[in-house]
C-alpha cells in the first residue's frame, strides 16, 4: 500500500511537472545523465516535460535530434554501453516503432550476450496510448509488446507522485527501462512527496482497499477504475483497486494477496485484448490462486480494432468506468 505522508510533506503538481522535476533532480545528482530526442531542447519537449532543462544544463546534456528514431536511439544505447546514463524521449511511443530494433535487439540483449560484461543503463520514455481523435496510427498502447521481451523493464505510472518516483528509479536502474507515460495524464495534478522521492520498480500500489472484488489496472485505466469503485460502493460493493505501476517485473505477490481476499477479479487495460497485459495477469492468477476464485477473471480492454478517428466511435472503443463497473458486477453475479 502507498506510504501515506502528511500534506505538509507534499507539493501539488501536474504529472508533467513531476516528470520534469525527476529529470532535473537526476541530472543534477549525476552528470552522466543526459536527455536526447526530438524537440526536447529548444522547444522544451513536445509535451513540455523538458521545460527549462536546456537553459539549466546546456546543449551537451539536453540534445535536440533530427526526426530519426532508429538513429538517436542507437546513439543512446551506445552511450549507455560506455558508461553514460541516457534518457531517450520518444515524441510518442507510436514513433518508437521505428526504433524498436535498437530497443529489443540491442538494449535488451546486450548484458546477456556479453556475459554480463556490458550493461545498458538507459531509459526510453514518452507518451503512450490514445489521446483525443489522433487516429489509428497515433493511439496505441504498446506496453505488452515491450513486456514480452526479456531484458527490458516496463513502467507505466498513473499519478504525479508515481511518475516522479518511478522515473527517478528508472534513471538509477542499471538495466534498460521502457517508461510509458500516459498521454492525457500530463495535466493531471496530484500530491508529490517532497525530497528525493523514489518509487521502487516492480511494486504495485493498492490505490483503494476493498474486500468484495479486485480491480487490477495501470496507467490511464487507474482513474476509471477508481471511479468504477466509487460507483460500486454506492451499490454496497467494496472494490479493491490495484495499480500495477510496473508491467515487468510484475508484482505477483500483491495481485495474489488481493485475489485471496476478494476471490473475484477484473483486469482493465488500455491495450488490445489479444495477448495483452491482462492475459499475463490472468495466467498468474489461474496458476497460483485458482482455488481462491469464485468466478472467472474478467478482462476489460480497448476494442479489438485500430482506434477510430470518429469521436463517438473512439469513445466506444476506449475503456471507461461504466465498462469496468459492469465487469465487476459480472464476476459478482449481480
Amino acid at each position: 500500500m502507498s506510504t501515506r505522508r502528511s500534506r505538509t510533506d507534499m507539493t501539488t503538481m501536474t504529472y508533467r511537472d513531476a516528470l520534469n522535476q525527476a529529470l532535473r533532480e537526476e541530472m543534477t545528482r549525476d552528470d552522466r545523465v543526459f536527455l536526447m530526442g526530438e524537440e526536447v531542447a529548444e522547444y522544451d519537449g513536445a509535451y513540455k516535460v523538458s521545460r527549462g532543462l536546456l537553459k539549466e544544463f546546456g546543449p551537451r546534456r539536453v540534445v535536440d535530434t533530427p526526426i530519426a528514431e532508429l538513429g538517436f536511439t542507437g546513439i543512446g544505447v551506445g552511450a549507455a554501453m560506455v558508461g553514460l546514463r541516457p534518457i531517450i524521449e520518444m515524441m510518442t511511443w507510436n514513433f518508437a516503432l521505428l526504433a524498436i530494433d535498437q530497443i529489443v535487439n540491442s538494449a535488451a540483449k546486450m548484458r546477456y550476450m556479453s556475459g554480463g560484461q556490458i550493461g545498458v543503463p538507459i531509459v526510453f520514455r514518452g507518451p503512450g496510448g490514445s489521446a483525443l481523435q489522433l487516429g489509428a496510427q497515433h493511439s496505441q498502447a504498446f506496453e505488452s509488446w515491450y513486456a514480452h521481451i526479456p531484458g527490458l523493464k516496463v513502467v507505466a505510472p498513473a499519478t504525479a507522485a508515481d511518475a516522479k518516483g518511478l522515473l527517478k528509479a528508472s534513471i538509477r536502474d542499471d538495466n534498460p527501462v521502457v517508461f510509458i507515460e500516459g498521454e492525457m495524464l500530463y495535466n493531471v495534478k496530484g500530491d508529490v512527496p517532497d525530497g528525493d522521492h523514489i518509487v521502487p520498480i516492480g511494486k504495485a500500489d493498492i490505490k483503494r482497499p476493498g474486500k468484495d472484488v479486485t480491480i487490477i489496472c495501470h496507467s490511464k485505466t487507474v482513474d476509471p477504475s477508481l471511479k468504477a469503485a466509487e460507483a460500486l460502493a454506492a451499490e454496497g460493493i467494496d472494490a479493491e483497486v490495484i495499480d500495477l505501476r510496473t508491467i515487468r517485473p510484475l508484482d505477483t505477490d500483491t495481485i495474489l494477496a488481493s485475489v485471496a481476499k476478494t476471490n473475484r477479479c477484473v483486469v482493465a487495460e488500455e491495450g488490445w485484448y489479444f495477448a495483452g497485459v491482462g492475459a499475463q495477469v490472468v495466467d498468474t492468477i489461474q496458476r497460483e490462486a485458482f482455488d481462491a476464485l469464485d468466478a472467472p477473471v474478467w478482462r476489460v480492454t480497448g476494442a479489438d480494432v485500430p482506434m477510430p478517428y470518429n469521436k463517438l466511435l473512439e469513445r466506444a472503443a476506449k475503456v471507461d468506468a461504466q465498462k469496468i463497473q459492469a465487469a465487476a458486477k459480472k464476476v459478482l453475479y449481480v
Side-chain angles (χ1 to χ4, degrees), residues 25-42:
E25 289 179 3
E26 291 306 298
M27 292 179 74
T28 301
R29 183 188 62 82
D30 186 344
D31 62 10
R32 297 173 299 170
V33 178
F34 71 96
L35 176 67
M36 184 164 57
E38 298 158 0
E39 299 184 346
V40 300
E42 296 288 347

Side-chain angles (χ1 to χ4, degrees), residues 179-199:
F179 193 92
I180 301 178
E181 297 152 14
E183 197 155 342
M184 301 294 288
L185 293 181
Y186 287 115
N187 285 330
V188 175
K189 290 184 177 180
D191 292 334
V192 178
D194 297 332
D196 193 24
H197 172 57
I198 304 289
V199 174

